[in-house]
Amino acid sequence: MNYENHRIYGMSVASVYVHYVTKAERKGRTRDEVDEVTRWLTGYTQEQLDKALEDKTTFQDFFDRAPNLNPNRFLIKGVICGVRLEEIDHPLMRDLRYLDKLVDELAKGRAMEKILRA
């Protein structure tokens, strides 16, 4: 699949983030936990994350500006949206799908220590 100019890169993180929070809350998890997994993945502080959401930062810019993409993100394995994470070659799409997978694991009730690959 060609991920080079996927339309999601131009979408604001905030427009999808609301769905991440809704999904997590439906399963008894919290917005704070969604923020925690997002910060773990990207290295953003809470203030930086809040500002990115407020500014309607695109996914492209959000990941390009990430202060410290977690080196352990490559430990995230599995399938998201029918695609095996390990088979996604495009770095931006892979990082975006890592975030999707972390939120999925949160919503499925997985322990935070396991989600954060501690």
Side-chain angles (χ1 to χ4, degrees):
M1 182 173 247
N2 182 4
Y3 294 118
E4 203 54 47
N5 292 308
H6 201 280
R7 69 184 184 94
I8 196 164
Y9 304 154
M11 291 175 65
S12 75
V13 175
S15 69
V16 177
Y17 174 84
V18 66
H19 298 291
Y20 290 157
V21 172
T22 300
K23 180 178 191 171
E25 288 178 342
R26 261 197 328 255
K27 300 293 187 165
R29 302 306 283 258
T30 66
R31 176 190 172 151
D32 288 342
E33 290 174 307
V34 173
D35 288 355
E36 184 176 353
V37 299
T38 305
R39 292 190 319 263
W40 175 88
L41 179 63
T42 61
Y44 281 102
T45 64
Q46 187 63 50
E47 294 76 26
Q48 291 169 322
L49 175 57
D50 291 341
K51 178 124 177 65
L53 295 171
E54 179 184 317
D55 291 349
K56 303 208 180 315
T57 302
T58 66
F59 274 105
Q60 177 81 53
D61 290 340
F62 184 74
F63 282 103
D64 284 351
R65 296 175 187 158
N68 185 26
L69 287 170
N70 196 306
N72 288 337
R73 71 190 185 280
F74 299 110
L75 298 175
I76 303 169
K77 308 277 187 214
V79 176
I80 191 79
C81 300
V83 178
R84 183 152 289 287
L85 289 169
E86 302 89 321
E87 295 174 1
I88 300 174
D89 292 332
H90 194 273
L92 176 57
M93 181 57 77
R94 188 175 50 238
D95 287 337
L96 209 152
R97 293 304 182 200
Y98 284 151
L99 182 56
D100 290 344
K101 184 70 173 172
L102 292 173
V103 173
D104 268 6
E105 291 178 356
L106 189 63
K108 288 180 179 168
R110 194 160 192 215
M112 190 60 81
E113 306 80 55
K114 292 188 186 241
I115 296 171
L116 302 182
R117 294 356 190 222

